């Protein structure tokens, strides 16, 4: 059985590549989707499609509409959502994606460091599983196939 996993979270480092590599190493039959990882493409897609916007606020809003559309389509098609919270970046997009996944009743794994237990406690309690590391998330996925 092949499953699709939506990888929600910041796009500033290679954590998605790490998950994909670890899943492949373990022979897990998974496909991965997620937000647009090219930051420039993500930021400018609104103007690329809709044309020049009158200000940075309108540019951000137009890009947000299209990025949210893309995320919703891919998330609805996904079987599982992994939402990674880190300590280096503001995490509002991750929180929004995790809450969307939960609202869509997608099985959801939250990955967050110990330092974020308190600020994420309500979200973690709504998710199916909360772990502290990518390796733990991979083991949860691996358990599906045992």
């Amino acid at each position: 059985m092949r499953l699709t996993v939506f990888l929600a979270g910041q796009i500033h480092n290679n954590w998605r590549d790490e998950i994909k590599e670890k899943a492949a190493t373990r022979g897990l039959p998974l496909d991965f989707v997620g937000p647009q990882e090219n930051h420039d493409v993500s930021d400018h897609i609104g103007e690329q499609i809709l044309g020049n916007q009158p200000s940075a606020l309108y540019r951000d809003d137009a890009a947000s509409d299209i990025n949210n559309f893309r995320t919703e389509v891919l998330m609805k098609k996904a079987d599982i959502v992994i939402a990674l919270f880190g300590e280096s970046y503001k995490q509002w997009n991750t929180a929004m994606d995790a809450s969307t996944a939960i609202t869509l009743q997608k099985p959801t794994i939250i990955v967050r460091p110990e330092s974020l237990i308190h600020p994420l406690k309500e979200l973690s309690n709504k998710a199916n599983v909360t772990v502290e590391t990518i390796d733990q998330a991979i083991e949860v996925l691996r358990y599906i196939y045992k």
Side-chain angles (χ1 to χ4, degrees), residues 1 8 15 24 30 33 46 53 56 64 71 80 90 95 100 102 107 111 115 117 123-124 129 139 146:
M1 162 180 57
W15 70 271
L30 302 171
V33 295
Q53 299 298 303
S64 179
T71 294
I80 297 165
K90 294 177 181 161
T100 299
I102 292 164
V111 182
S115 64
I117 289 174
L123 194 55
S124 290
V129 178
E139 288 305 308
K146 287 188 177 184

Side-chain angles (χ1 to χ4, degrees), residues 124-143:
S124 290
N125 284 320
K126 294 283 186 180
N128 298 93
V129 178
T130 299
V131 298
E132 292 184 4
T133 69
I134 287 172
D135 286 325
Q136 291 170 334
I138 291 293
E139 288 305 308
V140 171
L141 295 176
R142 195 168 131 190
Y143 184 68

Side-chain angles (χ1 to χ4, degrees), residues 38-59:
N38 183 315
H39 205 260
D40 286 337
V41 170
S42 175
D43 283 351
H44 297 102
I45 191 65
E47 286 191 322
Q48 286 179 352
I49 293 173
L50 302 172
N52 288 337
Q53 299 298 303
S55 72
L57 292 174
Y58 284 95
R59 183 176 56 244

